[in-house]
Amino acid sequence: MKRSLLPWLVVATVLLLLFPMAAEKFYLQLVTKIMILAIFALSLDLLVGYTGLVSLGHAAYFGIAAYTYALASQAADPANVWLTLPLALAASAAAALLVGALVLRTSGVYFIMVTLAFAQMAYYFFHDTRIAGGSDGIYINTRPDAHLPGLDLADDLHFYYFVLALLAIVFALLAVVLRSPFGRALQGIKANEHRMRALGYATLHYKLAAFVLAGTIAGLAGYLAAAKEGFVNPEMMAWHQSGAVLMMLILGGMGTLFGAVLGAFSYVLLQEWFSTLTKHWQLLMGGFIVAAVLLLPHGLIGLHRLRIKSRAPRPEGDGD
Amino acid sequence: MTEPVLATTTLGRRFGGLVAVDDVSLSLAPRTVHAVIGPNGAGKSTLVNLLSGDLRPSTGTIHLGALDITHWPSHRIAQHGVARSFQHTNVFAAFSAFENCRLAAQSRHKSFGRWVKPAERYGDWNAAADAALKIVGLASRGGIPAAALSHGERRSLEIAMALATQPSVLLLDEPLAGMGPEESAHIVALLKRLAADHAILLVEHDMDAVFALADRLTVMVNGRILASGAPDAIRANADVQRAYLGTEAVSTL
Ligand SMILES: Nc1ncnc2c1ncn2[C@@H]1O[C@H](COP(=O)(O)OP(=O)(O)OP(=O)(O)O)[C@@H](O)[C@H]1O
Ligand SMILES: [Mg+2]
C-alpha cells in the first residue's frame, strides 16, 4: 500500500512546492489554511484511523495551543516561535495527558461522549471567562518570528512554506512512528485490544501516549492557525470544529496518512465551491459526505485501492 | 514434590446468581500437562479466564510461583510468562499470520519507547515469529491474512501466537476444537514435546488427545472439581463415569 502511494506523494509535494508561483494571494492563503487543517486531520487520524479511538473533542487541543500562543504574544513585538511554540505544544500535551488519563478508561460511545464533554468544557471556559476576550476572542498583533535568516513569517509566501515544511515533518514523523514497534502496537489495539492485552501489552499506556501525541500535533495546527489568522476565538474548539476534522478523515479515508491530507484538501475545497453556489452549503456538504460514505467506504483514498485491485487482484491486508 | 508453577485456592467466580467456578483449588506442576475436562458449561473456560486475568475472581487466590497474582490485570500476568489461547479463535484477522506472531513476540520486549526503528528490522522478534509459525506447521502461510486461513489453520495460529511470547506456562482452551485429524495429531505431538519445558493447562473435549497427553486430570462439573488425579485413576473413578463420561464414553476410553 505504502509503496504504491509514493508516486502520488511525490507529485503532491512537487505541486505544493510549485503552487505559489501560479497562485494569487487568496489561493495562497487558502492552501496555507488547508495545510494547517491537514496537520490537524493527521493528528486525529493517529487516534481514529490507527488506534481506534474516535474522539469528538479533538478541537480542544487545537484551541488550547492557539489560546496559549495568543495569550503569550500580546506584546507589540512579534513573539519568538521557539519560545511560544514549545509553550503552546506543552499546553496541549498537558491537557491531552490529563483528559486522556480520565477518558481512556471508557470505550465505544462513552469515549466519544466524554471526549466531547471535555472539549465543551474547554470551549465554555474560554467563552464564559474574560481571560481572553470571552466569546469575542482576542487579536494577536503580529505573526511570530522564527529568527531564521531569510525567513519572515509575516510574509504570506514565507508562511506558506513554513507550514508546508511542518506538514511534511508531521507526515514523516507519523509514518516513522506507525512503522515502529510502538505504532504496530497501536494498530494491534485498533484491530483487537482484548487480544493485545492477553499478549501482554499494557494497552492503556499505549493509548494514552497516542492521545498525547495526537493532542500535541493538533496543538501545532492550532498554533499555526492562530498565527495565520492573527486571531483566536472559542469557535476554534467548538464541537463542529471537532466534527469537521472527523469528516475530513472520513472523506479522505482514515487509517492512511495520505487520506487525511486528501480529506483536508477535498473538504475545504468543496466547502469553498459549495459556498459559491448557495449559502446553504452545509446541506450540500452533508449530502456529499453521505454519498461518499455510501459509495466509498474507504474514503477518496479508496479510489486508489480500487484501481490497484482491478489491476492485480490479491488478498487485501489491513491497508497500512 | 516439586513446587507448583500456578496454584489456586478456593477460587470462585459468580455471574449474578450463577456460580461458574466454585471452590476450585488446583495446582499446575512444572513440566506437566494438566488436563481439565468436563461437560459444556462446567466452568472450564471461566477457570482459564480467571487464571489469565481476563476475569476477576469473586473469591479465592491465584499464585504464580511465589507471586500472588489474584488481582493482576491480564497483560501483567502475560508479561510474567503465562500465555493463553482462546476457545473461540481470537486473532488479528486483517493482519498476516506472520504479523500476528510478530506482535506476540514483540510483546515480550519493551516496545513502548521504541518509536523510530521500523518494527520489521528487529531480527530477533522476526525469528521468534517465524519459529512459532514453523513449529505449528504454518511456515509457508506467514504472508496470508489470518482471515484468509482455514479454520484449522487459525486454530494453529492461535497456538503459535501463544508460543511466540515464549511463555513458561500455557493455558490452552480447547486447542484442538475444529481441527482436522492431521492438524490435530500434529498439535498433540507438539504439546507432548512442549511439556518437556512448559507447564500446560489443557482444556479439551477430545478424549483421545486428553489421555494421550495428560499427566494429571481434573474433572469439573457445575463449576466444581469432581475429581482430580492420575488419568488412570480418573478413568476408573465411578463418580466420574456417572457424572460426566457416561456409559457410552467409558466404553471408548
Ligand atoms: N461472561 C459471562 N457472563 C455470564 N455468564 C457466563 C459468562 N461466562 C460464562 N458464563 C456461564 O458460566 C458457565 C460456565 O461457562 P464456561 O464457558 O466456563 O464453560 P465451559 O466449561 O468452558 O463450557 P464449554 O465446554 O461449552 O466451553 C456457563 O453456564 C456460562 O453460561
Ligand atoms: Mg469453554
Side-chain angles (χ1 to χ4, degrees), chain B residues 15 18 20 38-47 55 87 173-174 205:
Chain B
F15 295 110
L18 175 83
N40 294 107
K44 307 179 296 294
S45 294
T46 304
L47 175 64
L55 286 174
Q87 176 175 357
D173 196 353
E174 302 196 21
H205 279 300

Side-chain angles (χ1 to χ4, degrees), chain B residues 33-57:
Chain B
V33 175
H34 188 146
V36 175
I37 62 173
N40 294 107
K44 307 179 296 294
S45 294
T46 304
L47 175 64
V48 170
N49 287 333
L50 290 171
L51 294 173
S52 70
D54 280 53
L55 286 174
R56 292 285 110 101

Side-chain angles (χ1 to χ4, degrees), chain A residues 179 192 194-195 200-201 206, chain B residues 54 79 90 103 106 111 119:
Chain A
R179 285 181 68 181
N192 189 342
H194 174 228
R195 193 60 167 112
Y201 289 90
Y206 286 83
Chain B
D54 280 53
Q79 282 294 337
N90 189 357
L103 268 177
Q106 178 184 319
S111 57

Side-chain angles (χ1 to χ4, degrees), chain A residues 176-177 179-182 184-185 187-188 191-192 194-202 205-206 209 213 316-318, chain B residues 54 75 78-79 86 90-92 94-95 99 102-103 106-108 111-112 114-120 122 125 158:
Chain A
V176 166
V177 168
R179 285 181 68 181
S180 74
F182 175 79
R184 293 295 186 87
Q187 292 163 72
N192 189 342
H194 174 228
R195 193 60 167 112
M196 287 297 280
R197 263 190 265 116
L199 287 176
Y201 289 90
H205 298 173
Y206 286 83
L213 179 60
E316 222 359 270
D318 62 315
Chain B
D54 280 53
H75 65 85
Q79 282 294 337
F86 289 85
N90 189 357
V91 297
F92 303 98
F95 297 174
E99 178 64 6
R102 205 202 55 76
L103 268 177
Q106 178 184 319
S107 73
R108 276 311 159 272
S111 57
F112 185 73
R114 300 180 197 249
W115 290 39
V116 179
K117 185 169 145 186
E120 62 270 17
Y122 288 81
W125 309 356
E158 182 81 44

Side-chain angles (χ1 to χ4, degrees), chain B residues 33-40 44 87 155 172-189 191 202-214 216-218 231 235 244-245 249 252-253:
Chain B
V33 175
H34 188 146
V36 175
I37 62 173
N40 294 107
K44 307 179 296 294
Q87 176 175 357
R155 300 298 300 153
L172 303 176
D173 196 353
E174 302 196 21
L176 306 178
M179 279 189 183
E182 253 171 61
E183 285 165 323
S184 186
H186 184 86
I187 297 300
V188 168
L191 294 182
L202 173 71
V203 174
E204 189 47 65
H205 279 300
D206 177 341
M207 287 304 142
D208 292 336
V210 165
F211 282 98
L213 284 169
R216 204 179 159 80
L217 198 51
T218 293
R235 206 194 303 245
Y244 169 55
L245 296 173
T252 66
L253 290 182

